[in-house]
Amino acid sequence: MSWTHEFKEALKTNEDLKNFFDQDFPEINYPLFIPQVFASKILEAGPDSALWKQFLPNEQEDNQTLGRLDPIGDKVHAKNNQLIHRYENRVLFTPTTVCPILCRYCFRKNELSLKDDIFDQKFTEAKKYLKENPSINEVIFTGGDPFILSNEKLAFYIQEFSEIDSLKYLRFHTRTPIILPSRIDEGLLSILISAKHLFKRSLIMIHVNHVSELTDDVAEAIEQLTNEGIEVYSQTVLLKGVNDSTDALFDLFTKLSDCKVKPYYLHHPDEARGTMHFYLPLEEGRKIVASLHNKLPGWALPQYIIDIPGGEGKVPAFNPESFEFSGVLINRLGEKIKIN
Ligand SMILES: *Cc1c(COP(=O)(O)O)cnc(C)c1O
Ligand code: SF4
């Protein structure tokens, strides 16, 4: 089945879910979207699984008293031209609000479902902004999910960006290879190969949270990319009840490494409204990450990162033995030790 067909046939209503999973789900105020091939994997994994918890509705999503509507301050840095410019050298480019699936824990779920104005289609303005700001050398395709765009549209954007001299790097943040591995078709492969030649580096960051997402069809899709010399990295969100254990993350990062994917970031969850049942304290995440340092080499370990609420940006979340700028070491017990 072609990926566009899979996309059209996705489960979108409670009625669809009920028919497919043969059980009732709570009616919630956020939209639903699960392609059927992936829904079969969820069904097989069962109700206690990482897949089920990430993608099937839970009544706790409608708790509107906890969490923030714009948890990482995208609005503060939105340029109203498909760009979010928070860091000097790089911008997020949001050409679509569409995703291959709707993740229940999504930190953008409030913005995406409200069709927020930061996702307006204003490409000419975006291009102008990039030309006028030559300190920007990297464009990061995000969304939504950029691989939901047609090959024609992707090729168009890549060509347009390649004409801006100051741009050296291109990046794609995507969940599509996990959800619709059939999307990695000949057309997309050749576009990604051409991007590799048009820019100094062109990187794909796959969003993946649990080893059970890396089924054989997914591993084969990833292998098609790595076989062509395309650089593939991963991003993972730490989620309560899904992957908040040493074993779950060890298995995930080991499998990714075996697929020649470099784990890039492990995100501490953002405090987004409607997702707080996935939230866990920083202290718990830091303990898990500390134990991973004993089991995996640096090249198989992502950086544990937290996005500071309100638009301050990302900072490392793991520093059990880090230094203050003055050179004071804070050890695992929280004691301060002066090093010269
Ligand atoms: C996360 C993010 C980036 C990318 O940051 P890296 O640390 O380079 O992965 C860029 N812009 C914005 C606004 C971001 O939130
Ligand atoms: S794919 Fe990413 S942006 Fe889309 S719903 Fe999932 S977490 Fe949100």
Side-chain angles (χ1 to χ4, degrees):
M1 211 194 299
S2 75
W3 74 274
T4 42
H5 188 76
E6 274 193 59
F7 191 76
K8 281 203 199 89
E9 302 289 298
L11 310 174
K12 300 180 193 75
T13 63
N14 261 58
E15 194 60 28
D16 294 346
L17 292 187
K18 189 183 160 103
N19 292 334
F20 192 95
F21 290 93
D22 201 21
Q23 70 171 77
D24 286 316
F25 292 92
E27 291 279 351
I28 51 158
N29 281 315
Y30 290 103
L32 303 168
F33 193 90
I34 309 177
Q36 293 197 28
V37 176
F38 198 81
S40 303
K41 295 181 183 178
I42 301 175
L43 182 61
E44 197 181 322
D48 290 327
S49 66
L51 295 185
W52 193 285
K53 290 179 192 164
Q54 288 184 86
F55 303 109
L56 285 169
N58 182 312
E59 66 274 358
Q60 288 170 276
E61 289 176 58
D62 275 345
N63 181 335
Q64 295 293 306
T65 55
L66 301 173
R68 297 156 183 264
L69 289 173
D70 181 19
I72 65 168
D74 278 348
K75 272 194 192 131
V76 182
H77 300 281
K79 297 295 170 205
N80 200 26
N81 55 10
Q82 302 178 302
L83 299 176
I84 302 172
H85 191 189
R86 177 181 289 133
Y87 304 108
E88 186 178 328
N89 85 298
R90 55 206 191 278
V91 287
L92 298 183
F93 172 56
T94 58
T96 175
T97 57
V98 181
C99 290
I101 197 163
L102 289 176
C103 311
R104 306 325 309 163
Y105 59 83
C106 178
F107 74 101
R108 287 213 172 110
K109 71 194 291 182
N110 303 292
E111 300 163 62
L112 289 175
S113 62
L114 290 174
K115 294 260 177 282
D116 201 277
D117 54 48
I118 70 169
F119 295 106
D120 267 357
Q121 309 291 306
K122 290 180 178 152
F123 187 64
T124 337
E125 261 182 59
K127 218 181 148 186
K128 184 160 167 274
Y129 186 84
L130 293 171
K131 280 192 179 140
E132 287 169 358
N133 291 274
S135 63
I136 300 169
N137 64 12
E138 178 175 19
V139 169
I140 304 166
F141 283 70
T142 178
D145 192 312
F147 285 178
I148 286 305
L149 297 170
S150 66
N151 289 339
E152 293 70 31
K153 198 103 201 189
L154 273 174
F156 166 78
Y157 286 133
I158 292 169
Q159 180 59 38
E160 293 280 309
F161 288 140
S162 75
E163 289 162 10
I164 300 173
D165 291 341
S166 39
L167 294 182
K168 289 169 67 183
Y169 313 117
L170 215 55
R171 216 200 287 182
F172 300 90
H173 284 189
T174 177
R175 205 157 183 17
T176 298
I178 303 294
I179 308 301
L180 295 171
S182 57
R183 173 67 185 101
I184 312 298
D185 55 18
E186 286 299 319
L188 182 58
L189 274 175
S190 69
I191 288 169
L192 294 171
I193 292 166
S194 81
K196 204 176 69 169
H197 298 298
L198 288 168
F199 295 84
K200 287 237 183 287
R201 303 274 295 265
S202 166
L203 325 172
I204 298 179
M205 308 267 165
I206 298 179
H207 172 171
V208 52
N209 297 330
H210 193 270
V211 70
S212 59
E213 297 168 32
L214 295 165
T215 43
D216 290 346
D217 51 343
V218 171
E220 278 163 30
I222 293 173
E223 199 180 332
Q224 284 193 284
L225 298 169
T226 54
N227 278 350
E228 294 294 345
I230 295 166
E231 299 183 68
V232 186
Y233 291 73
S234 67
Q235 298 209 61
T236 298
V237 190
L238 184 61
L239 296 168
K240 187 161 120 189
V242 172
N243 60 11
D244 58 335
S245 72
T246 307
D247 286 349
L249 292 179
F250 173 82
D251 291 346
L252 173 62
F253 301 142
T254 301
K255 174 83 182 181
L256 284 168
S257 301
D258 293 350
C259 291
K260 300 188 169 58
V261 176
K262 164 75 182 94
Y264 176 59
Y265 276 164
L266 172 66
H267 292 270
H268 192 71
D270 296 311
E271 296 181 51
R273 185 160 305 170
T275 72
M276 293 304 286
H277 51 297
F278 290 109
Y279 194 79
L280 73 170
L282 191 57
E283 193 180 340
E284 282 177 32
R286 290 169 61 127
K287 282 183 184 151
I288 295 167
V289 170
S291 66
L292 285 172
H293 275 255
N294 197 30
K295 290 172 179 287
L296 287 169
W299 54 262
L301 268 179
Q303 194 176 13
Y304 182 34
I305 274 291
I306 183 166
D307 225 306
I308 304 295
E312 299 295 319
K314 295 183 193 68
V315 292
F318 183 66
N319 58 340
E321 292 169 303
S322 72
F323 295 95
E324 281 185 351
F325 285 119
S326 63
V328 173
L329 174 84
I330 304 162
N331 73 9
R332 282 167 204 261
L333 301 171
E335 297 159 345
K336 293 187 174 185
I337 300 164
K338 179 80 184 153
I339 309 259
N340 289 308

